[in-house]
Amino acid sequence: MTQSDFVELEKKLRDAELRPTKQRLALAQLLYSQGNRHITAERLHSEAMEAGVAISLATIYNNLHQFTTAGLLREVVVDSSRSYFDTNVAPHHHFFHEEQGTLEDIAKSDLTVANIPPLPEGTEISSVDVIVRVNSPRR
Amino acid sequence: MTQSDFVELEKKLRDAELRPTKQRLALAQLLYSQGNRHITAERLHSEAMEAGVAISLATIYNNLHQFTTAGLLREVVVDSSRSYFDTNVAPHHHFFHEEQGTLEDIAKSDLTVANIPPLPEGTEISSVDVIVRVNSPRR
DNA sequence: TTCTTCTTTAGAAGAATTCTAATCTATTGA
DNA sequence: TCAATAGATTAGAATTCTTCTAAAGAAGAA
Ligand SMILES: [Mn+2]
Ligand SMILES: [Mn+2]
Ligand SMILES: [Zn+2]
Ligand SMILES: [Zn+2]
């Protein structure tokens, strides 16, 4: 991590009113210095271990939620058995590889959702999530 | 339950090669004799209890999965903390009321999904799921 | 019937996530 | 610079949802 990366990540945390602790900076680096990512808590924990940063799983969860609340992450619900966190917080959609359990972005502008019927009385849209589930056919 | 309902549900189970046991018939009745439903395991268990049918939770889960495998139900993933099962197995989409945790169908023909980008190499579509998350704004 | 296969079940086990409460660290401001 | 304070981290326990185990029961075949 270069000095300027560090400063940038630190600013990102401060702007979100999160103290730039050693653990948060390590997580921010894993999350934000290699393009958009879709990651589970367990996986992020493993990566932190591999990177030589000891962080408890509780801290991983605490921070994933705090980052999400701060708008630095969003949660993508695709699998009922585990949570995925997405570093791309702009509205967009996903391909989900059912066998591998991996996500791939679909830009909002690349896919059209039209003719949403009238919303249930008294409600407003929070988000529109499209998941295109794909698999590799055994041929 | 009338005699003809019973016969109909029994046929539904037999056609799926599932023995029409007391428990399965009770579940089938709860699931299929009141229009399309979206229900969790716990809720179905409660309803069975209320209806005076003693069924273990293991049996509820066993059957929800067997029904799903047989194409009598489908699972809808909207909430990472619990699984919803849908009696409407035709392709369609959903409104999800975030506060109440309830689902409402959107007919496939009512909503347009277009311009899905080229699929990742070597994959084919398994399903396209649209979830319109709504909430009741505090005003 | 009788045999076989499937089903149900209580309770244990598993997996993901959250909680508790003690310890530690970053920030603040005298 | 250095308390004082608010916030953060952590180990391990607890919780919740779900699955597994293995024994007992019920359904279908002949
Ligand atoms: Mn869970
Ligand atoms: Mn499941
Ligand atoms: Zn994404
Ligand atoms: Zn539905």
Side-chain angles (χ1 to χ4, degrees):
Chain A
M1 176 163 63
T2 70
Q3 181 62 29
S4 77
D5 284 345
F6 179 91
V7 169
E8 202 173 292
L9 292 174
E10 182 173 348
K11 175 165 178 2
K12 184 164 187 137
L13 293 176
R14 282 193 196 286
D15 287 352
E17 301 193 299
L18 295 170
R19 292 181 182 177
T21 62
K22 183 153 72 68
Q23 292 85 344
R24 283 206 183 111
L25 282 165
L27 295 181
Q29 189 190 175
L30 290 170
L31 291 169
Y32 302 108
S33 60
Q34 41 188 308
N36 284 147
R37 305 201 65 189
H38 302 89
I39 196 165
T40 62
E42 281 294 350
R43 184 101 194 61
L44 185 57
H45 188 234
S46 304
E47 290 192 9
M49 299 296 102
E50 282 163 30
V53 190
I55 305 188
S56 74
L57 195 50
T59 298
I60 299 280
Y61 277 106
N62 286 344
N63 280 292
L64 286 173
H65 289 135
Q66 289 166 160
F67 282 30
T68 300
T69 300
L72 264 35
L73 286 177
R74 67 130 125 168
E75 197 177 340
V76 183
V77 180
V78 279
D79 178 333
S80 54
S81 71
R82 61 204 152 159
S83 298
Y84 286 80
F85 292 85
D86 191 341
T87 59
N88 181 353
V89 295
H92 65 283
H93 305 295
H94 294 96
F95 283 119
F96 179 62
H97 294 261
E98 298 183 312
E99 290 124 334
Q100 303 157 70
T102 57
L103 286 161
E104 223 172 300
D105 282 349
I106 298 177
K108 188 165 86 115
S109 58
D110 278 356
L111 184 152
T112 308
V113 178
N115 306 320
I116 293 172
L119 303 189
E121 188 65 32
T123 67
E124 63 183 27
I125 291 181
S126 144
S127 68
V128 176
D129 300 337
V130 179
I131 298 171
V132 180
R133 294 173 193 274
V134 302
N135 49 221
S136 306
R138 54 173 49 276
R139 48 176 334 265
Chain B
M1 178 164 61
T2 71
Q3 181 62 29
S4 77
D5 282 345
F6 179 90
V7 169
E8 200 173 296
L9 291 175
E10 183 173 347
K11 174 165 177 8
K12 183 162 188 139
L13 293 176
R14 284 193 195 284
D15 287 352
E17 301 194 298
L18 294 170
R19 291 181 183 176
T21 62
K22 182 153 71 68
Q23 292 84 346
R24 284 207 182 110
L25 281 164
L27 294 182
Q29 189 190 174
L30 290 170
L31 291 170
Y32 302 109
S33 62
Q34 41 187 311
N36 285 146
R37 305 200 66 189
H38 302 89
I39 196 167
T40 63
E42 280 295 350
R43 184 102 192 62
L44 185 57
H45 189 235
S46 304
E47 289 190 10
M49 299 295 100
E50 283 164 28
V53 191
I55 305 188
S56 74
L57 195 51
T59 297
I60 299 279
Y61 276 107
N62 286 343
N63 280 293
L64 285 173
H65 288 134
Q66 288 166 160
F67 282 29
T68 300
T69 299
L72 265 34
L73 287 177
R74 66 128 126 171
E75 197 177 339
V76 183
V77 180
V78 278
D79 178 332
S80 54
S81 72
R82 60 203 153 161
S83 297
Y84 284 80
F85 292 86
D86 190 342
T87 59
N88 180 354
V89 295
H92 65 283
H93 305 294
H94 293 96
F95 282 118
F96 179 62
H97 294 261
E98 298 183 311
E99 290 124 335
Q100 304 157 70
T102 57
L103 285 161
E104 225 173 297
D105 282 350
I106 298 176
K108 187 165 86 115
S109 58
D110 277 357
L111 183 151
T112 308
V113 178
N115 306 320
I116 292 173
L119 302 189
E121 187 65 32
T123 68
E124 63 183 26
I125 290 181
S126 144
S127 69
V128 176
D129 301 336
V130 179
I131 299 172
V132 179
R133 293 171 194 274
V134 302
N135 48 222
S136 306
R138 54 174 50 277
R139 49 177 337 267

